[in-house]
Amino acid sequence: QVQLVESGGDLVQPGGSLKLSCAASVNRFSIFTMGWHRQAPGKQRELVAVIAPGSSTNYADSVKGRFTISRDNAKNTVYLQMNNLKPKDTAVYYCNAVHLKTYWGQGTQVTVSS
């Protein structure tokens, strides 16, 4: 069983930064593809960023150049550094882990507002 716990969500002003963390309780964390998704009120969940076991990354066009996904396999943790935040980034951010199956965390709220 894989458990994912996100943290780091907060209320931040436009232009600000946040760093989200997702700690995974799993054996062999390094073989999982890890991702961050988000869901804004009234909208579908969307992919934000993904990092493969080899640490190659991919980003949604809306966050390229502002967000950075990274992983620390020694700590079983994936991060999402978010810079230059905009009100449209407001959403619940979910971490997921994929290897044969997909596992989800419970999410952390990010609110960008002045």
Side-chain angles (χ1 to χ4, degrees), residues 34 49-52 54-59 64 67-71:
M34 301 299 297
V50 61
I51 185 165
S55 293
S56 62
T57 59
N58 198 17
Y59 297 91
K64 281 180 181 177
F67 290 10
T68 302
I69 189 171
S70 61
R71 65 192 299 160

Side-chain angles (χ1 to χ4, degrees), residues 24-80:
S25 58
V26 63
N27 291 326
R28 302 180 67 196
F29 173 79
S30 62
I31 69 173
F32 283 80
T33 294
M34 301 299 297
W36 286 98
H37 294 66
R38 67 187 180 188
Q39 187 166 18
K43 295 189 177 182
Q44 289 189 330
R45 192 174 297 189
E46 62 175 359
L47 174 68
V48 174
V50 61
I51 185 165
S55 293
S56 62
T57 59
N58 198 17
Y59 297 91
D61 287 343
S62 60
V63 306
K64 281 180 181 177
R66 300 188 298 123
F67 290 10
T68 302
I69 189 171
S70 61
R71 65 192 299 160
D72 185 336
N73 289 337
K75 295 183 178 180
N76 282 17
T77 301
V78 63
Y79 305 98
L80 185 67

Side-chain angles (χ1 to χ4, degrees), residues 4-26:
L4 304 172
V5 179
E6 302 97 334
S7 61
D10 206 344
L11 170 64
V12 63
Q13 291 188 345
S17 297
L18 280 177
K19 187 173 185 177
L20 305 182
S21 300
C22 172
S25 58
V26 63

